[in-house]
């Protein structure tokens, strides 16, 4: 009776929550290729003609746009090591929670064509996370993800064989016919993807429930970071999403702190010189978050020449008054549990 009850629940949830999970799977797969697709669609924005001179420094880019439009509030400036890669200036823009990434020619500061396709991927992201219906959809996708864990565990229980062998667990049996073959195919393929489903579900629930996220940090023994008002997002290179900060609020913070454009320009110039000296050839992109207050510190992040993944970023604090790095956090130095989180 217990096994029959499990089967009925497994079957019923499979044809209900399974539909939502299918949508989440397809949209998640599409979304994972966002950088590659956007670069393919917008090659004129991401790549430029290489010129026989150095790229403009962050300070020079800042000065250019300040002279051109003093009302523009710049959050961060990203420069790439690749001579053909464009630079990125993130600015405050109404409706853009993390600011708007403006692609610019790194040699002339010319604003490059706007990235096409961002709205599509924003829609795909919302469809993936909350079915585009806000908090209600978020609860639905979260509940369905919990059900995915139940699918995995109940499926293993339901197919637990009397005789254990690798062939019994993992081999499709083509000699079976009709419904028996379909059932066996479902069971075997389900076993193949058990580990992947559990990883997807356990990590995906981090965005669904605060209690789950807190539990993940505790189980892995990682201190949960506090929200910071940083300009840099997790991806860079034209993406407007990332795990950090509310970009759009940094401009107001600088005005209240009394940072003049001249002071910011000097801070950028000195920080760029210090970074170029210590990390020359050791980065693919570097992002300078414009100083929030006149404390002599510049927050920056950079990506290794060959990054382990798109969020494997190094963070550093440079004191441009004393011309030294006061803090450097390299991704490769993190412990495994920190990398997982």
């Amino acid at each position: 009776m217990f096994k029959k009850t499990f089967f009925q629940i497994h079957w019923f949830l499979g044809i209900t929550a399974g539909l939502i999970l299918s949508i989440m799977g397809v949209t998640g797969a599409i979304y994972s290729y966002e950088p590659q697709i956007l670069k393919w669609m917008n090659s004129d924005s991401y790549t430029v003609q290489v010129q026989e001179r150095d790229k403009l420094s962050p300070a020079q880019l800042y000065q250019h746009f300040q002279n051109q439009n003093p009302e523009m509030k710049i959050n961060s400036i990203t420069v790439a090591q690749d001579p053909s890669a464009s630079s990125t200036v993130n600015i405050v823009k109404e409706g853009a929670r993390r600011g708007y990434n403006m692609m610019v020619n790194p040699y002339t500061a010319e604003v490059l064509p706007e990235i096409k396709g961002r709205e599509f991927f924003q829609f795909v992201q919302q469809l993936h996370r909350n079915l585009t219906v806000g908090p209600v959809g978020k609860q639905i996708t979260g509940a369905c993800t919990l059900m995915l864990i139940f699918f995995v565990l109940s499926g293993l229980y339901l197919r637990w064989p009397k005789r254990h062998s690798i062939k019994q667990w993992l081999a499709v049996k083509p000699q079976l016919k009709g419904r028996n073959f379909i059932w066996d195919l479902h069971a075997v393929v389900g076993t193949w993807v058990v580990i992947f489903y559990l990883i997807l579900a356990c990590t995906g629930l981090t965005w669904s429930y605060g209690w789950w996220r807190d539990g993940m940090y505790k189980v892995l023994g990682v201190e949960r970071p506090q929200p910071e008002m940083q300009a840099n997002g997790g991806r860079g290179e034209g993406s407007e999403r990332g795990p950090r900060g509310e970009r759009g609020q940094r401009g107001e913070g600088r005005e209240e702190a009394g940072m003049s454009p001249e002071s910011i320009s000097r801070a950028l110039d000195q920080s760029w010189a210090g970074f170029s000296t210590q990390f020359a050839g050791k980065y693919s992109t570097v992002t300078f978050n414009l100083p929030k207050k006149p404390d002599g510190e510049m927050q920056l992040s950079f990506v290794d020449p060959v990054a382990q993944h798109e969020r494997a970023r190094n963070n550093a604090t440079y004191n441009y008054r004393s011309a030294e790095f006061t803090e450097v956090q390299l991704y490769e130095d993190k412990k495994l549990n920190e990398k997982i989180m």
Side-chain angles (χ1 to χ4, degrees), residues 13 23 79-80 117 127 136 178-179 183 215 224 262-263 270 279 290 296 299 313 335:
L13 294 180
I23 294 174
V79 178
L127 187 60
V136 174
R179 291 171 62 90
W183 169 259
R224 184 173 176 180
E262 293 77 15
S263 299
Q270 293 164 354
F279 293 99
L290 269 63
Q299 304 294 329
R313 306 183 71 87
K335 298 178 180 178

Side-chain angles (χ1 to χ4, degrees), residues 300-338:
L300 56 93
S301 64
F302 59 99
V303 180
D304 293 331
V306 180
Q308 293 189 27
H309 56 79
E310 64 189 27
R311 295 186 185 274
R313 306 183 71 87
N314 309 296
N315 298 296
T317 300
Y318 184 78
N319 190 311
Y320 50 85
R321 291 176 180 169
S322 61
E324 62 178 352
F325 282 94
T326 57
E327 183 179 12
V328 177
Q329 297 178 346
L330 299 179
Y331 180 82
E332 64 178 11
D333 293 339
K334 292 182 180 290
K335 298 178 180 178
L336 179 60
N337 57 337
E338 295 175 328

Side-chain angles (χ1 to χ4, degrees), residues 6-16 151 158:
F6 252 52
F7 176 81
Q8 293 298 323
I9 297 174
H10 185 95
W11 169 84
F12 177 74
L13 294 180
I15 62 174
T16 52
F151 288 156
L158 290 171

Side-chain angles (χ1 to χ4, degrees), residues 46-119:
Y46 283 101
T47 58
V48 299
Q49 184 70 35
V50 178
Q51 299 186 18
E52 296 297 327
R53 54 172 170 155
D54 292 336
K55 288 184 174 183
L56 296 176
S57 69
Q60 290 172 320
L61 289 172
Y62 175 78
Q63 291 171 351
H64 172 84
F65 288 105
Q66 277 295 302
N67 294 334
Q68 189 179 68
N69 183 6
E71 299 301 317
M72 179 183 293
K73 296 176 181 178
I74 299 176
N75 295 321
S76 66
I77 297 175
T78 301
V79 178
Q81 178 82 1
D82 183 355
S84 65
S86 58
S87 296
T88 305
V89 178
N90 182 274
I91 62 175
V92 173
K93 184 177 182 181
E94 185 178 356
R97 191 167 64 92
R98 294 190 174 93
Y100 170 77
N101 280 328
M102 186 169 60
M103 314 300 288
V104 301
N105 188 305
Y107 300 100
T108 65
E110 174 192 0
V111 178
L112 299 174
E114 186 174 358
I115 301 298
K116 299 177 181 178
R118 282 174 172 167
E119 294 78 8

Side-chain angles (χ1 to χ4, degrees), residues 234-309:
R235 283 195 161 188
E237 296 186 358
S239 172
E240 294 185 0
R241 64 187 176 114
R244 299 194 184 146
E246 306 298 319
R247 290 178 175 173
Q249 301 181 30
R250 287 184 58 82
E252 292 82 347
R254 286 195 302 275
E255 289 179 358
E256 293 172 0
M259 288 288 287
S260 66
E262 293 77 15
S263 299
I264 295 174
S265 182
R266 285 195 300 271
L268 283 169
D269 196 36
Q270 293 164 354
S271 299
W272 171 248
F275 177 81
S276 299
T277 300
Q278 183 157 339
F279 293 99
K282 299 179 182 179
Y283 71 98
S284 56
T285 62
V286 56
T287 298
F288 291 84
N289 300 322
L290 269 63
K292 195 174 181 181
K293 52 187 177 181
D295 58 359
E297 293 188 341
M298 175 75 70
Q299 304 294 329
L300 56 93
S301 64
F302 59 99
V303 180
D304 293 331
V306 180
Q308 293 189 27
H309 56 79

Side-chain angles (χ1 to χ4, degrees), residues 4-5 19 73 96 151 191 201 327:
K4 288 182 179 179
T5 302
L19 176 61
K73 296 176 181 178
F151 288 156
T191 304
E327 183 179 12

